[in-house]
Amino acid sequence: MSRDHKRTNYSQPMTTYEPNRLSKAVCFCKIIYQGIRINRFQLFLTTLTMSIGSLGLALTIFLGDGAQGVMWESLEKLLGSWTVVAPHQGQDGTIFKTRPSHHFNQEDLSQLQQGIPVARFVSPAVFDMPVTARTKDREVNLHMDAVTKTLGREEIFRPILGRELADEAHRGFTRECLVTDSLMNSFGLDLDDNPKIVLNGHLFNIVGVVKPPPLHRDSFSERVVIPYNIARSLWMNPGNIGIIVVAWHDTGDMHHIITRIKTILDSTRGEKTYYLTSKQFQIQSGRKIVNTFIMAGTTQSIFCIFIASI
């Protein structure tokens, strides 16, 4: 055999072994298994930390969000999803340049009713009117609310004892009223005795008992609720409709409705000739605080999971 045949041919490229994907997966699993056997305690701590973080994240998002949803729904149902629009004379009596009185009139009410079709209702009312209440044994000064039939369906005006104000009373044919339970106890009245009360010299039949308005001082707990039309005919000046209550179906509509109220009244009355009050504004502030708390809890949980995974 010649020397050329015995010589190894190094000019040919060498064949390299490339493992397939299955081999890579098996090798990777073996490495993981060896790491788990060697670092069992570290793995336990890592798993425990990630579990706590995941549990905290789930509780914060799901339970926290659900709880605040129930809380806001209860508050909105109790306080009413509406805002009270009250008249004001404006800076330096601006309203008197175009009107003889700063009170809301029928035109203001009509403009709001026609201009906010998405509102649940737009209703006139009287809140916190001071009156003198008298029975056979006692006489006190207290506050009175006058509501329309629509506004009377709201939660805070629904009687807990007795019945609602009759349609005849809302039309002004009979004089009926609702009183708070604290007033019933203060006067020593019993609803079964068909009690009566005299308000500013006018006799009313007490037909139901309501709870005191929420978030009010104790001095406002003794209150009377009467039909709006009776209050307007007895104690309000012609052309004065009192205040205006604008309600919404959903809290998400609040901003749009508030904007529409301002736009309409700025056009018909002038800027700063009214003001808005609503417990919903307080609810929105509380909602922001709770949302911030939940966001902070979520961030901490995610950070905990991140640290554990390093």
Side-chain angles (χ1 to χ4, degrees):
M1 182 180 294
S2 64
R3 183 178 300 177
D4 295 337
H5 288 88
K6 295 180 180 180
R7 184 180 301 169
T8 302
N9 187 3
Y10 293 100
S11 63
Q12 297 296 327
M14 296 182 63
T15 302
T16 59
Y17 174 73
E18 295 184 1
N20 56 27
R21 293 182 180 179
L22 180 61
S23 301
K24 290 182 180 180
V26 172
C27 182
F28 184 70
C29 291
K30 288 182 177 180
I31 294 174
I32 294 176
Y33 177 71
Q34 292 176 358
I36 292 175
R37 292 185 59 187
I38 296 173
N39 303 293
R40 294 180 180 179
F41 184 69
Q42 182 180 358
L43 175 64
F44 171 76
L45 292 180
T46 302
T47 305
L48 179 63
T49 306
M50 294 183 68
S51 300
I52 293 175
S54 300
L55 178 62
L57 180 62
L59 290 176
T60 301
I61 294 178
F62 297 105
L63 296 183
D65 187 64
Q68 74 159 335
V70 172
M71 181 182 67
W72 298 138
E73 182 179 353
S74 300
L75 280 174
E76 290 167 1
K77 183 178 180 181
L78 178 64
L79 299 177
S81 300
W82 34 265
T83 183
V84 175
V85 190
H88 190 266
Q89 65 180 10
Q91 188 175 4
D92 299 328
T94 306
I95 192 66
F96 297 117
K97 296 179 181 179
T98 57
R99 298 186 178 194
S101 171
H102 74 285
H103 296 297
F104 285 137
N105 55 31
Q106 190 62 41
E107 179 184 358
D108 298 326
L109 177 63
S110 299
Q111 289 290 335
L112 290 176
Q113 290 175 335
Q114 298 173 9
I116 315 179
V118 297
R120 183 158 55 92
F121 64 79
V122 179
S123 172
V126 176
F127 289 165
D128 296 333
M129 174 182 285
V131 295
T132 300
R134 177 172 53 86
T135 61
K136 294 181 180 180
D137 303 323
R138 189 182 176 198
E139 179 175 313
V140 297
N141 294 321
L142 47 82
H143 291 82
M144 180 189 71
D145 297 333
V147 299
T148 61
K149 182 178 179 180
T150 301
L151 184 56
R153 298 192 184 102
E154 294 297 288
E155 185 71 20
I156 63 174
F157 298 118
R158 292 179 182 175
I160 56 176
L161 293 174
R163 61 172 176 82
E164 298 179 351
L165 300 172
D167 292 342
E168 292 79 7
H170 282 295
R171 290 196 288 266
F173 298 145
T174 60
R175 293 179 182 176
E176 297 179 346
C177 70
L178 308 173
V179 300
T180 57
D181 50 358
S182 57
L183 181 60
M184 290 287 287
N185 297 331
S186 176
F187 277 80
L189 301 175
D190 189 341
L191 199 59
D192 294 333
D193 297 332
N194 298 319
K196 302 180 185 300
I197 191 171
V198 178
L199 303 176
N200 286 351
H202 299 276
L203 185 65
F204 284 78
N205 296 316
I206 301 176
V207 298
V209 178
V210 295
K211 292 182 178 181
L215 305 182
H216 275 70
R217 299 189 302 270
D218 292 339
S219 58
F220 287 80
S221 61
E222 296 184 353
R223 302 176 72 86
V224 178
V225 180
I226 71 170
Y228 169 78
N229 286 332
I230 293 180
R232 186 175 181 184
S233 63
L234 292 179
W235 300 302
M236 297 172 65
N237 295 327
N240 176 16
I241 66 168
I243 60 176
I244 300 176
V245 179
V246 183
W248 43 81
H249 293 279
D250 184 80
T251 308
D253 298 330
M254 184 180 72
H255 178 72
H256 170 70
I257 289 178
I258 295 299
T259 302
R260 288 294 301 153
I261 292 173
K262 293 180 179 180
T263 301
I264 293 172
L265 293 183
D266 285 348
S267 176
T268 58
R269 292 174 55 89
E271 297 181 0
K272 299 181 179 180
T273 59
Y274 58 91
Y275 60 91
L276 307 176
T277 61
S278 176
K279 299 301 182 184
Q280 289 290 330
F281 300 156
Q282 300 177 15
I283 292 179
Q284 291 297 309
S285 299
R287 189 192 295 263
K288 291 180 181 178
I289 294 174
V290 175
N291 285 339
T292 302
F293 171 76
I294 291 180
M295 182 63 67
T298 303
T299 304
Q300 292 176 358
S301 299
I302 294 176
F303 180 76
C304 182
I305 296 174
F306 173 74
I307 294 298
S309 62
I310 296 178

